[in-house]
Amino acid sequence: MKNVDINSITNAFLNYCSKDTNPRVYFLLKSLVEHIHQFAKQTQLSHEEWMVAIDFLTRAGDITDKERNEFVLLSDTMGLSSLIDMIGSQHSGTPSSVLGPFHINDAPSLPVGGDLAKENEGKCVVLEGYVKNTNGDPIADAELEIWQTANNGLYSNQDDKQREFNLRCSMKVGADGRYAFSTVRPAPYKVPDDGPVGDLLRATGREAWRPSHFHFIVTAKGYRQLVTELFPSDDPYLETDAVFGVREDLILDYREVNELDTLNDDFVAKKRLTAPFLKVDFDIVLVKENGEA
Ligand code: BEZ
Ligand code: FE
């Protein structure tokens, strides 16, 4: 098309695409280009403003490496990661939440009732619950991966003072679907804010804080894998989570418990625990891979 103008450029772009373009790729690209062209027209975007955006993306690229992905952080802080998450998890199971950049594979396994706290200091928390299907039946042999910060708000892969795999484990549940472990209370922390995303947060008067949380990945044969998080109801950052990961069903009370003998005997830490400690009861509901209950 020789004579493109403001009104014809969107169709000109679409007409340039080959008829062999994968239909889903074409569908996504068509909608994306329609939206960004409309955005430029609606906002009367200036060349200078677009150059600021290009510079932002260039700086995001410069800071991105194997350990840190500024584009993922941008998607997280724009709410896009959580939006995509919610689109994919409109069902009756436990809601999903963001994975975040601090997960690492191959964490050591911890038996049900094990103590994750080890040498870590902090308020003792005992977590316990059942992995179930949407009918309430236990899912035998489900596997959990769990990771959290220490009480300084840092993950083991951010902090030279922590050993590799500190406060990380995998746990295989038995026939009853029960998981259980003791640990220390994680702390709220700021998402990395020393790059362009941090500049954007500051420019819009936003917080980089995330409420404290436990991360879970739950896997079981025949069920959709669940990536989720668990938040305490008394955290000061629940209303302003920088990455929009909080969901009502993922907020739980950390109950103060005084009687040690209410704990099941398989808790390895039962002998060293001192009351009061915090108890969290969190059942995890998985949906079938095919979406059925
Ligand atoms: C996290 O929870 O680990 C996280 C999620 C998104 C961005 C940064 C951190
Ligand atoms: Fe996290």
Side-chain angles (χ1 to χ4, degrees):
M1 192 176 204
K2 270 193 199 153
N3 222 355
V4 277
D5 62 18
I6 287 184
N7 296 317
S8 62
I9 191 162
T10 307
N11 273 334
F13 167 85
L14 296 172
N15 290 336
Y16 281 1
C17 295
S18 150
K19 296 276 168 290
D20 302 331
T21 309
N22 171 295
R24 179 68 182 166
V25 171
Y26 181 78
F27 175 73
L28 292 175
L29 208 54
K30 178 174 185 291
S31 182
L32 179 66
V33 169
E34 284 168 353
H35 279 89
I36 53 177
H37 284 190
Q38 182 58 23
F39 165 75
K41 287 195 253 186
Q42 200 171 42
T43 59
Q44 292 288 290
L45 194 65
S46 72
H47 184 70
E48 289 71 27
E49 287 166 337
W50 185 231
M51 284 304 113
V52 171
I54 295 285
D55 176 62
F56 178 94
L57 294 172
T58 306
R59 288 189 292 130
D62 289 344
I63 207 172
T64 293
D65 58 22
K66 270 210 307 238
E67 310 277 307
R68 170 172 186 170
N69 192 318
E70 195 73 357
F71 295 102
V72 174
L73 189 59
L74 179 61
S75 158
D76 293 344
T77 54
M78 297 282 282
L80 187 56
S81 307
S82 278
L83 177 60
I84 294 168
D85 231 29
M86 289 186 281
I87 292 168
S89 66
Q90 299 176 67
H91 51 63
S92 51
T94 298
S96 60
S97 184
V98 287
L99 171 68
F102 300 115
H103 170 254
I104 43 182
N105 289 322
D106 304 322
S109 80
L110 191 74
V112 176
D115 183 33
L116 194 59
K118 307 221 164 62
E119 73 277 16
N120 293 275
E121 285 175 10
K123 184 83 186 165
C124 178
V125 191
V126 172
L127 283 94
E128 186 170 22
Y130 291 86
V131 183
K132 304 190 276 197
N133 64 20
T134 49
N135 296 322
D137 306 318
I139 302 179
D141 297 330
E143 287 202 44
L144 286 77
E145 283 184 78
I146 300 150
W147 70 106
Q148 63 167 102
T149 68
N151 72 351
N152 62 1
L154 294 173
Y155 289 94
S156 60
N157 46 352
Q158 295 177 289
D159 183 1
D160 292 342
K161 295 199 183 69
Q162 294 181 44
R163 69 189 151 73
E164 194 187 11
F165 297 120
N166 187 38
L167 295 170
R168 298 169 187 272
C169 71
S170 64
M171 183 174 290
K172 189 160 182 140
V173 306
D176 59 358
R178 176 173 167 266
Y179 75 90
F181 62 101
S182 49
T183 184
V184 290
R185 184 174 179 149
Y189 62 86
K190 281 183 167 186
V191 299
D193 65 349
D194 55 342
V197 170
D199 293 342
L200 189 59
L201 292 175
R202 278 181 292 280
T204 49
R206 280 179 54 188
E207 298 272 3
W209 286 97
R210 293 215 65 201
S212 75
H213 51 269
F214 290 97
H215 287 276
F216 290 82
I217 298 178
V218 189
T219 311
K221 204 160 175 274
Y223 292 87
R224 269 202 233 169
Q225 187 183 62
L226 174 72
V227 178
T228 195
E229 303 180 280
L230 180 62
F231 302 92
S233 56
D234 60 354
D235 195 285
Y237 299 107
L238 286 177
E239 295 291 344
T240 53
D241 179 11
V243 301
F244 308 94
V246 180
R247 316 274 176 269
E248 198 64 45
D249 289 353
L250 302 178
I251 304 172
L252 286 188
D253 290 335
Y254 286 24
R255 286 185 298 115
E256 198 159 273
V257 175
N258 282 299
E259 302 80 28
L260 270 167
D261 53 13
T262 56
L263 281 185
N264 201 307
D265 280 340
D266 66 357
F267 278 104
V268 171
K270 194 168 172 178
K271 286 195 199 71
R272 74 154 179 84
L273 280 181
T274 48
F277 59 91
L278 298 172
K279 179 87 198 299
V280 186
D281 296 297
F282 176 49
D283 288 346
I284 296 168
V285 180
L286 300 186
V287 290
K288 287 254 169 70
E289 214 148 47
N290 58 14
E292 287 165 16

